[in-house]
Amino acid sequence: MSEQFTLETASELYSTTFQMEYQANERLANTMMERHGTSGTSLHIPVIDNLEMTEQGFSPSNMPISNPAKRDVICEQKNFTLKSVVGYGEKTLFAYDEIQAYAKTHAQAIARFQDKVKIDAILNDPTLPVDTAYTNIPVTIGAVTGVSEAKLSAALAALEAQGVDVRDESCSLWLPAILISQMYNDDKVVNFFYNNNKPLANNEFPSYLGTSIRKLPNQSAGINYIPFTAGTTDLYKIPVVHEDSSIMSY
């Protein structure tokens, strides 16, 4: 007669079979406009150029008409899928735990993909000439190498100079997590006088200068990473993004 399937054996099977891979989740939620419930293959977004008031005086005459310039930007709809299967043999012992594990993995994959779409729209879209369409902050700005208070201030100042409202975390900094130590090397970032979030003590860095800080993983944790040029020192283009700059359609 064969031996019984003991509790110890079952526990060992559980602990070795259901260890989760480290996977990143969505990091760029609420950083762009969203439209839900759209249909068709493309969404047409009207973009209205600036209108300015003019002085008319108090004479009883008809008001002059200002004709605003309008552009039509197309948000192309695409359909993506993710499908995996659970074998018949996996429907028995610990089925609930395994199905839960699959469900969590699927949810994380969907979340990472939503980040990737946003990253591609800003950094990888071949129709956008990044070097000319965007304001680039030189790496030499500020006394600290890498990401710093001075560079973020310069980026926000450039946006404000173009009429962008940068208050109340309407902008977000998409920062590779591997570079967060560069921010901590800046005395202004960790000084209580400039920052009351205590990022070093609490290991939290939700915002700085009114900008939402979004820390992104590297490519080993998923597809929602900032692209870089590999070398002795990896080079990143780190965007500061206003929530009205792009729209995501569902």
Side-chain angles (χ1 to χ4, degrees):
M1 184 176 179
S2 61
E3 295 183 3
Q4 295 292 324
F5 193 66
T6 64
L7 177 61
E8 290 75 15
T9 304
S11 299
E12 181 64 24
L13 176 65
Y14 183 90
S15 63
T16 57
T17 303
F18 297 103
Q19 289 182 8
M20 295 291 294
E21 290 281 348
Y22 287 114
Q23 300 181 45
N25 52 15
E26 186 176 10
R27 305 295 172 86
L28 301 179
N30 303 318
T31 58
M32 289 184 178
M33 294 183 291
E34 294 184 359
R35 298 274 177 87
H36 293 265
T38 57
S39 60
T41 57
S42 62
L43 174 66
H44 291 255
I45 309 296
V47 179
I48 311 299
D49 286 345
N50 290 348
L51 283 174
E52 300 292 357
M53 297 288 291
T54 58
E55 184 178 2
Q56 181 188 3
F58 297 97
S59 59
S61 59
N62 290 334
M63 289 184 293
I65 297 175
S66 299
N67 294 315
K70 184 183 75 171
R71 291 169 287 132
D72 186 37
V73 178
I74 298 178
C75 178
E76 182 181 353
Q77 304 272 53
K78 296 183 179 180
N79 185 35
F80 299 92
T81 59
L82 171 63
K83 180 180 180 180
S84 59
V85 297
V86 179
Y88 179 79
E90 296 171 310
K91 295 181 180 180
T92 54
L93 189 62
F94 311 122
Y96 177 80
D97 303 277
E98 184 152 358
I99 291 174
Q100 285 288 92
Y102 280 123
K104 181 178 180 180
T105 300
H106 276 234
Q108 289 174 315
I110 294 169
R112 290 193 302 272
F113 185 79
Q114 292 192 123
D115 283 352
K116 183 181 186 301
V117 171
K118 296 175 183 179
I119 293 169
D120 288 349
I122 299 296
L123 295 176
N124 285 343
D125 187 346
T127 64
L128 293 176
V130 174
D131 291 330
T132 57
Y134 303 143
T135 300
N136 287 292
I137 305 302
V139 70
T140 54
I141 293 290
V144 179
T145 302
V147 189
S148 64
E149 179 271 342
K151 292 182 179 65
L152 180 56
S153 296
L156 295 174
L159 288 173
E160 286 192 283
Q162 299 174 56
V164 175
D165 185 359
V166 302
R167 297 172 297 176
D168 300 325
E169 298 188 16
S170 57
C171 292
S172 53
L173 174 69
W174 299 1
L175 181 66
I178 196 69
L179 302 184
I180 190 63
S181 60
Q182 295 179 353
M183 292 289 282
Y184 294 158
N185 287 334
D186 191 332
D187 290 340
K188 286 187 176 181
V189 173
V190 297
N191 192 312
F192 286 163
F193 183 77
Y194 295 95
N195 181 14
N196 59 5
N197 289 325
K198 298 192 293 185
L200 290 178
N202 298 332
N203 195 29
E204 291 187 8
F205 199 37
S207 66
Y208 189 66
L209 295 181
T211 303
S212 178
I213 306 297
R214 304 303 179 98
K215 293 182 286 187
L216 290 154
N218 61 26
Q219 56 187 333
S220 65
I223 60 175
N224 56 340
Y225 64 94
I226 297 295
F228 59 92
T229 301
T232 304
T233 300
D234 295 338
L235 300 177
Y236 296 85
K237 287 190 173 181
I238 303 169
V240 179
V241 181
H242 190 271
E243 61 187 4
D244 292 339
S245 65
S246 299
I247 188 167
M248 203 166 180
S249 172
Y250 296 86

